[in-house]
Amino acid sequence: MKIVIACILSFAVAAATGRVLIPKLRALKAGQSIREDGPTWHSGKAGTPTMGGLMFIAGILVSIVICGFPGMLAGDFKHLYMFGFALIFGVIGFLDDYEKVKHHQNLGLTALQKFLLQLAAAVAFLCLMRYEGMLTPSLYVPFFQTHIILSWPVYMIFAAFVIVGTVNAVNITDGIDGLAGSVTVPVSLFFAVVATWWEGFEQLGIFSGALTGGLLGFLVYNFHPAKVFMGDTGSLFLGGTVAALAFAYDMPLVLIPVGFVYICETMSDILQVVYFKATHGKRLFKMAPLHHHFELCGWSEVKLVAVFTTISAVCCTAAALGVMGRYHF
């Protein structure tokens, strides 16, 4: 019940925040700059307010503090760890968005700056999680109900790069109206559902429920045609939450099925670059990442979001079946 309440409360706060935030972002001229090499029809989106991710960040914060307060009194702060970690990535994204808005171009922090900041955040989070006893160097393998034992140094290196990769994969997915938020709703529902199966995960369930509600509240304004974009502020925060939850449940490999859409988007980008260089100018896709390829194939943004979200939902359902046997109900 607390998870449902957290979802509803987060939705209400995010939706209410949007009614105040969007006009303020417009007044501050915090408009999105559009990639010059993107689809030509995206030029009409220029000037749409960005940094709208602040809406679901606010919704999640209010919700987890109120709904998670009894757990905090009992000494369980897992949900705050999740939020704090994701917020660090949100701040990195905010700095990136601020630079773009300030200079009125689609260039913020350099790739190296973002990578180093994200890597430092990931290492700090993993150290905290290990200190709190929430991590083991034993990789649980969904579907096969087995584990791969790693040494702590190998595990920490692996984990840090998985976190950074996940964060940036979610960021890449945020390319058309409503896509990243919609695709992530089934992911957040997956983590909320599994929290109800096993003991000791109530606070994480509350956080996952709040994430679901916050995203739905944001999508009220972000569905096509979008009145606001989440910006890197939102997409990096979102990536941080997905990565943090996977590690908090101590099953990072579950990111493969639940993050299938993110992985496809990222791999399309990588394959495009590799193929372009290997063939001296030929392209594997009409445009990367993958959602732009389908746009150029004639898919509408609404169809793209519907199909990608359905794929995400199917993969998350499969993932839930794949982890059911980990603990007793």
Side-chain angles (χ1 to χ4, degrees), residues 70-81:
M72 287 190 282
L73 291 178
D76 190 346
F77 300 96
K78 293 186 184 74
H79 61 318
L80 294 184
Y81 296 156

Side-chain angles (χ1 to χ4, degrees), residues 1-10 63 67 188-189 191-197 201-213 249:
M1 181 57 71
K2 285 183 180 178
I3 294 175
V4 175
I5 294 173
C7 179
I8 295 171
L9 180 58
S10 183
S63 182
C67 297
S188 61
L189 284 172
F191 286 116
V193 168
V194 297
T196 66
W197 293 350
F201 292 96
E202 183 179 50
Q203 297 291 72
L204 295 181
I206 288 172
F207 181 85
S208 302
L211 174 60
T212 303
Y249 282 90

Side-chain angles (χ1 to χ4, degrees), residues 77-87 125 129 134 204 207 237 240-241 244-245 248:
F77 300 96
K78 293 186 184 74
H79 61 318
L80 294 184
Y81 296 156
M82 301 299 102
F83 183 82
F85 172 68
L87 186 61
F125 172 73
M129 298 293 280
M134 296 173 67
L204 295 181
F207 181 85
F237 176 92
T241 62
L245 283 166

Side-chain angles (χ1 to χ4, degrees), residues 53-215:
L54 294 170
M55 292 160 54
F56 55 77
I57 293 173
I60 293 168
L61 176 60
V62 172
S63 182
I64 63 173
V65 169
I66 293 175
C67 297
F69 191 69
M72 287 190 282
L73 291 178
D76 190 346
F77 300 96
K78 293 186 184 74
H79 61 318
L80 294 184
Y81 296 156
M82 301 299 102
F83 183 82
F85 172 68
L87 186 61
I88 292 173
F89 281 94
V91 170
I92 296 171
F94 179 84
L95 294 174
D96 195 39
D97 285 334
Y98 177 78
E99 286 297 312
K100 292 175 183 176
V101 170
K102 180 181 177 181
H103 298 292
H104 301 289
Q105 56 183 349
N106 198 35
L107 295 172
L109 300 176
T110 66
L112 180 61
Q113 288 172 329
K114 285 192 283 190
F115 173 75
L116 292 176
L117 287 170
Q118 291 171 7
L119 186 62
V123 171
F125 172 73
L126 290 167
C127 290
L128 173 63
M129 298 293 280
R130 183 181 177 185
Y131 176 79
E132 291 290 329
M134 296 173 67
L135 289 182
T136 64
S138 174
L139 283 178
Y140 169 72
V141 183
F143 302 102
F144 296 97
Q145 309 306 324
T146 187
H147 293 77
I148 301 172
I149 308 299
L150 302 176
S151 66
W152 269 115
V154 171
Y155 179 86
M156 295 295 274
I157 293 170
F158 159 81
F161 282 96
V162 167
I163 289 173
V164 173
T166 301
V167 170
N168 286 286
V170 176
N171 180 243
I172 288 171
T173 305
D174 181 36
I176 61 174
D177 297 357
L179 183 59
S182 297
V183 165
T184 305
V185 168
V187 179
S188 61
L189 284 172
F190 162 80
F191 286 116
V193 168
V194 297
T196 66
W197 293 350
W198 308 321
E199 292 183 7
F201 292 96
E202 183 179 50
Q203 297 291 72
L204 295 181
I206 288 172
F207 181 85
S208 302
L211 174 60
T212 303
L215 284 173

Side-chain angles (χ1 to χ4, degrees), residues 41 67 91 144 231 256 264 294 302:
W41 54 90
C67 297
V91 170
F144 296 97
I256 297 173
C264 290
F294 285 111
V302 173

Side-chain angles (χ1 to χ4, degrees), residues 39 42 47 97 111 115 120 124 171 189 212 218 276 281 285 313 323 326 329:
H42 279 207
D97 285 334
F115 173 75
N171 180 243
L189 284 172
T212 303
F218 169 72
F276 185 85
F285 302 99
V323 304
R326 186 176 188 191
F329 286 85

Side-chain angles (χ1 to χ4, degrees), residues 33-35 38-48 175-177 229 291-292 295 301:
S33 297
I34 304 300
R35 286 174 49 185
T40 54
W41 54 90
H42 279 207
S43 60
K45 298 174 185 280
T48 302
I176 61 174
D177 297 357
F229 299 138
H291 54 261
H292 286 327
E295 275 192 285
E301 293 189 45

